[in-house]
mmCIF file of all heavy atoms in Angstrom:
data_model
loop_
_atom_site.group_PDB
_atom_site.id
_atom_site.type_symbol
_atom_site.label_atom_id
_atom_site.label_comp_id
_atom_site.label_asym_id
_atom_site.label_seq_id
_atom_site.Cartn_x
_atom_site.Cartn_y
_atom_site.Cartn_z
ATOM 1 N N THR A 333 111.885 129.844 139.630
ATOM 2 C CA THR A 333 111.877 129.529 138.203
ATOM 3 C C THR A 333 110.442 129.626 137.719
ATOM 4 O O THR A 333 109.532 129.802 138.527
ATOM 5 C CB THR A 333 112.363 128.081 137.943
ATOM 6 O OG1 THR A 333 111.375 127.166 138.459
ATOM 7 C CG2 THR A 333 113.702 127.805 138.605
ATOM 8 N N GLY A 334 110.243 129.509 136.424
ATOM 9 C CA GLY A 334 108.882 129.560 135.884
ATOM 10 C C GLY A 334 108.279 128.180 135.701
ATOM 11 O O GLY A 334 107.268 128.025 135.012
ATOM 12 N N ILE A 335 108.883 127.161 136.302
ATOM 13 C CA ILE A 335 108.450 125.781 136.069
ATOM 14 C C ILE A 335 107.173 125.448 136.843
ATOM 15 O O ILE A 335 107.040 125.776 138.018
ATOM 16 C CB ILE A 335 109.566 124.795 136.496
ATOM 17 C CG1 ILE A 335 110.810 124.995 135.630
ATOM 18 C CG2 ILE A 335 109.088 123.347 136.451
ATOM 19 C CD1 ILE A 335 110.662 124.596 134.184
ATOM 20 N N ARG A 336 106.228 124.799 136.135
ATOM 21 C CA ARG A 336 105.045 124.240 136.806
ATOM 22 C C ARG A 336 105.423 122.828 137.234
ATOM 23 O O ARG A 336 105.395 121.895 136.437
ATOM 24 C CB ARG A 336 103.857 124.212 135.829
ATOM 25 C CG ARG A 336 103.229 125.578 135.627
ATOM 26 C CD ARG A 336 102.062 125.534 134.656
ATOM 27 N NE ARG A 336 102.528 125.511 133.272
ATOM 28 C CZ ARG A 336 102.865 126.605 132.577
ATOM 29 N NH1 ARG A 336 102.782 127.784 133.122
ATOM 30 N NH2 ARG A 336 103.286 126.490 131.341
ATOM 31 N N THR A 337 105.785 122.705 138.503
ATOM 32 C CA THR A 337 106.392 121.445 138.952
ATOM 33 C C THR A 337 105.463 120.244 138.783
ATOM 34 O O THR A 337 105.935 119.125 138.624
ATOM 35 C CB THR A 337 106.845 121.542 140.423
ATOM 36 O OG1 THR A 337 105.698 121.841 141.229
ATOM 37 C CG2 THR A 337 107.891 122.613 140.622
ATOM 38 N N GLU A 338 104.141 120.476 138.804
ATOM 39 C CA GLU A 338 103.210 119.332 138.662
ATOM 40 C C GLU A 338 103.324 118.676 137.288
ATOM 41 O O GLU A 338 102.782 117.604 137.080
ATOM 42 C CB GLU A 338 101.736 119.754 138.837
ATOM 43 C CG GLU A 338 101.452 120.851 139.822
ATOM 44 C CD GLU A 338 101.725 122.222 139.208
ATOM 45 O OE1 GLU A 338 101.015 122.646 138.285
ATOM 46 O OE2 GLU A 338 102.685 122.859 139.685
ATOM 47 N N GLU A 339 104.020 119.320 136.344
ATOM 48 C CA GLU A 339 104.189 118.725 135.016
ATOM 49 C C GLU A 339 105.479 117.897 134.915
ATOM 50 O O GLU A 339 105.760 117.294 133.876
ATOM 51 C CB GLU A 339 104.212 119.822 133.939
ATOM 52 C CG GLU A 339 102.898 120.575 133.769
ATOM 53 C CD GLU A 339 101.821 119.721 133.106
ATOM 54 O OE1 GLU A 339 102.146 118.744 132.408
ATOM 55 O OE2 GLU A 339 100.628 120.042 133.323
ATOM 56 N N ILE A 340 106.264 117.893 135.980
ATOM 57 C CA ILE A 340 107.583 117.247 135.906
ATOM 58 C C ILE A 340 107.486 115.747 135.623
ATOM 59 O O ILE A 340 108.148 115.223 134.726
ATOM 60 C CB ILE A 340 108.378 117.485 137.217
ATOM 61 C CG1 ILE A 340 108.890 118.932 137.248
ATOM 62 C CG2 ILE A 340 109.551 116.505 137.348
ATOM 63 C CD1 ILE A 340 109.663 119.294 138.511
ATOM 64 N N TYR A 341 106.644 115.059 136.375
ATOM 65 C CA TYR A 341 106.601 113.607 136.243
ATOM 66 C C TYR A 341 106.138 113.188 134.851
ATOM 67 O O TYR A 341 106.702 112.300 134.221
ATOM 68 C CB TYR A 341 105.692 113.014 137.320
ATOM 69 C CG TYR A 341 105.672 111.509 137.299
ATOM 70 C CD1 TYR A 341 106.831 110.793 137.590
ATOM 71 C CD2 TYR A 341 104.518 110.803 136.970
ATOM 72 C CE1 TYR A 341 106.835 109.400 137.556
ATOM 73 C CE2 TYR A 341 104.511 109.421 136.939
ATOM 74 C CZ TYR A 341 105.666 108.725 137.237
ATOM 75 O OH TYR A 341 105.657 107.358 137.190
ATOM 76 N N ARG A 342 105.103 113.865 134.357
ATOM 77 C CA ARG A 342 104.597 113.530 133.027
ATOM 78 C C ARG A 342 105.668 113.771 131.964
ATOM 79 O O ARG A 342 105.837 112.997 131.032
ATOM 80 C CB ARG A 342 103.337 114.338 132.714
ATOM 81 C CG ARG A 342 102.685 113.952 131.420
ATOM 82 C CD ARG A 342 101.334 114.610 131.225
ATOM 83 N NE ARG A 342 100.539 114.496 132.429
ATOM 84 C CZ ARG A 342 100.000 115.544 133.050
ATOM 85 N NH1 ARG A 342 100.148 116.735 132.568
ATOM 86 N NH2 ARG A 342 99.308 115.375 134.146
ATOM 87 N N THR A 343 106.403 114.872 132.093
ATOM 88 C CA THR A 343 107.455 115.172 131.125
ATOM 89 C C THR A 343 108.528 114.082 131.155
ATOM 90 O O THR A 343 108.991 113.618 130.115
ATOM 91 C CB THR A 343 108.105 116.540 131.454
ATOM 92 O OG1 THR A 343 107.083 117.485 131.735
ATOM 93 C CG2 THR A 343 108.945 117.028 130.303
ATOM 94 N N SER A 344 108.891 113.682 132.360
ATOM 95 C CA SER A 344 109.896 112.637 132.513
ATOM 96 C C SER A 344 109.461 111.335 131.848
ATOM 97 O O SER A 344 110.225 110.694 131.128
ATOM 98 C CB SER A 344 110.159 112.413 134.009
ATOM 99 O OG SER A 344 110.803 111.184 134.224
#
Side-chain angles (χ1 to χ4, degrees):
T333 68
I335 296 292
R336 283 180 280 277
T337 59
E338 326 81 67
E339 294 288 337
I340 285 179
Y341 184 65
R342 186 171 313 125
T343 315
S344 163

